[in-house]
Amino acid sequence: MVGINKAMRNFGLNQLTRRRWLQATSGSVAGAWLGGWFGSLASAMADSERSKRSCILLWMNGGPSQTDTFDMKLGHEHGGPFRSIATRAAGIQVCEHLPGIAQWTDRLAIIRSMSTKEGDHGRARDNLRTGYVPQASIQFPVLGSLISKESLGQAGDLPNYVSINSRGLFNPGMPPAGFLGPDYAPLLVGQDTDGNENGQRLAVENLALPKSVSTEQARARLELLHRMERKFLDARPGPAADGHRTAYAKAARMMSHEAAKAFQLDDEPKESRDAYGSSQFGQGCLLSRRLVERGVPFVEVSLGGWDTHDDNFRQVQNLCGALDMGWSALMQDLQQRGLLDSTLVVWMGEFGRTPAINPRLGRDHFPKAWSVVLGGGPISGGQIVGRTSADGTNVEERPVSTPDLLATICVALGIDPEKQNMSNVDRPIRLVDPLASPLLDIIS
């Protein structure tokens, strides 16, 4: 509670008790500081049994260069060849290769002062995706699984957590949902790609029944399977049996007509598909909108290739093409469909890259000072959080840690970051480290 209390004091909220804060974040109290977002949530809850809150995580696998995207160092030897461009938000400039997203900065808060400690891809990825420093004995769940568990019910036959272009996001041999168990594991779409391939169709395999099998025949076969395996599984309770049951139940639900239809991107008009681009990342962004529209609370879309130790500038320019097209089309689509105010969009990777340019015209791993972007939902846009030094090597104002960031995401989604889950070592663990200090000043 230390971190949140500290954040509350920063806003003169030292009289706000934990109970009242929890009441406010559940939408039952329309406090002045939370009025806009949670007032909207309260209305949404009144209209439906299910919360309208959703999160789309745009995960940049490999660690994108902050110096070549959202924290440029023009005129400095670290700056590189890219120029900056003005954006819709006065005083905010971004890289010239992000012209589409430049038109959405009034809905974005750019955090330029992320400061973390893990410089290894695997450890840093796990740290940013779980909120905790990896430990051999504890299977920490990723953010998508945590939000899946905290969401109300299930989106029809669709899962609560979908991971798109997920190659390299999960450790082999480690349960994706960690100690939360298979009920909160993601549906993986395009698990053999990192989002860079162009033209390859993004789809969930084996959703449709074979032409020779009718719906009734499929239902009868599933019932027969359940009867045959029930006695065997009942005699062997435990995670393996639970995982088996959960996997088959999810697969059966996914084969329903409505669930399968959510993944059919060909149903979209051609101009809509063209707006997102032909890359698998662009298709993933389009699919994320279709899923959020159907009530899925957490979708992540990965774009890999940001580990630019060599030839950084050519690679970043190419990556920005797919990123800018997919991300800006997503923002436009969410707004046009009335979903942007209830959908938090997060852009981040596992760390940033060195401001200094190495002899191979590349940039190396750099967790000390880097950038993350939050947008949509309750985020008060047109803001820059924190500041780095002129050479980009140090954070000079408002350092933001991994727990700070994840607590901010939880608060923005109306989730108590201090809620606890029982871990695989029989010890309760909070959603986010209690020392976190969420960025309440960017939440309207």
Side-chain angles (χ1 to χ4, degrees), residues 111-146:
I111 303 171
R112 287 179 172 168
S113 52
M114 285 298 299
S115 188
T116 52
K117 295 181 180 178
E118 300 292 344
D120 169 78
H121 284 295
R123 289 184 61 83
R125 180 197 62 213
D126 291 350
N127 177 227
L128 264 294
R129 290 170 61 79
T130 68
Y132 287 91
V133 175
Q135 299 178 32
S137 60
I138 303 178
Q139 299 169 346
F140 292 108
V142 295
L143 179 64
S145 296
L146 292 169

Side-chain angles (χ1 to χ4, degrees), residues 169-280:
L169 297 194
F170 300 96
N171 290 323
M174 180 71 76
F179 57 69
L180 292 183
D183 281 346
Y184 307 104
L187 171 70
L188 305 181
V189 180
Q191 57 185 311
D192 296 325
T193 178
D194 66 356
N196 264 305
E197 292 80 356
N198 277 309
Q200 188 173 331
R201 188 169 177 267
L202 187 64
V204 181
E205 296 181 353
N206 302 320
L207 268 186
L209 293 173
K211 292 181 179 177
S212 59
V213 179
S214 69
T215 302
E216 285 305 315
Q217 287 174 319
R219 183 178 296 114
R221 291 177 184 184
L222 281 172
E223 290 175 356
L224 176 62
L225 174 64
H226 293 328
R227 286 199 299 272
M228 292 176 64
E229 67 181 13
R230 184 177 300 127
K231 186 175 180 181
F232 179 86
L233 294 175
D234 287 347
R236 296 165 178 79
D242 292 343
H244 177 88
R245 284 194 176 99
T246 300
Y248 270 80
K250 285 184 174 180
R253 287 198 299 269
M254 284 291 301
M255 293 174 70
S256 74
H257 175 72
E258 287 305 316
K261 192 173 177 59
F263 296 91
Q264 294 172 2
L265 298 184
D266 290 342
D267 288 350
E268 291 287 328
K270 182 178 183 302
E271 55 268 26
S272 178
R273 285 181 277 131
D274 289 347
Y276 281 89
S278 60
S279 72
Q280 289 210 319

Side-chain angles (χ1 to χ4, degrees), residues 141-160:
V142 295
L143 179 64
S145 296
L146 292 169
I147 292 175
S148 172
K149 183 173 183 294
E150 297 306 315
S151 299
L152 303 177
Q154 186 172 346
D157 290 323
L158 293 169
N160 275 358

